[in-house]
Amino acid sequence: MSDTGQGLGADPESDWEKVQASPEFTELRRRLRVFVFPVSALFLLWYLLYVLLADYATAFMSTKLFGNITVGLVFGLLQFVSTFVITGLYVRYANRKLDPLADKIRHEVEGAER
């Protein structure tokens, strides 16, 4: 967005098109997709594995580990754990890779509006 001094602020729709076409915004979208798509696919596969095991491997899932705690219960609880882990990884990734670039874009746009 090296052309921020070339009329940003006059037409909001045109401004958005300039920002969206900028190399910085393209890089921001690429960085987001690099994280979101693979992690989403992995989580969905993990969840599908849990559902399939619960449906087709009931003997395995009902295996008692200790007391009334079964393999299925542990797998179910691990679904929650994996959700929190993914959230933490995303926050860390966003803080390092996404937010600095988004802040740069925002500052350039806001600076051009003045």
Side-chain angles (χ1 to χ4, degrees), residues 51-68:
V51 170
L52 290 174
L53 286 173
D55 194 34
Y56 295 107
T58 53
F60 170 70
M61 294 294 270
S62 62
T63 302
K64 290 188 177 191
L65 298 174
F66 52 91
N68 288 326

Side-chain angles (χ1 to χ4, degrees), residues 26-71:
T26 302
E27 176 63 15
L28 181 63
R29 288 187 351 198
R30 186 196 68 77
R31 288 181 186 184
L32 179 67
R33 289 176 179 157
V34 161
F35 182 88
V36 169
F37 290 159
V39 171
S40 296
L42 284 172
F43 180 77
L44 288 174
L45 288 172
W46 161 239
Y47 181 72
L48 181 62
L49 174 68
Y50 172 67
V51 170
L52 290 174
L53 286 173
D55 194 34
Y56 295 107
T58 53
F60 170 70
M61 294 294 270
S62 62
T63 302
K64 290 188 177 191
L65 298 174
F66 52 91
N68 288 326
I69 307 299
T70 63
V71 171

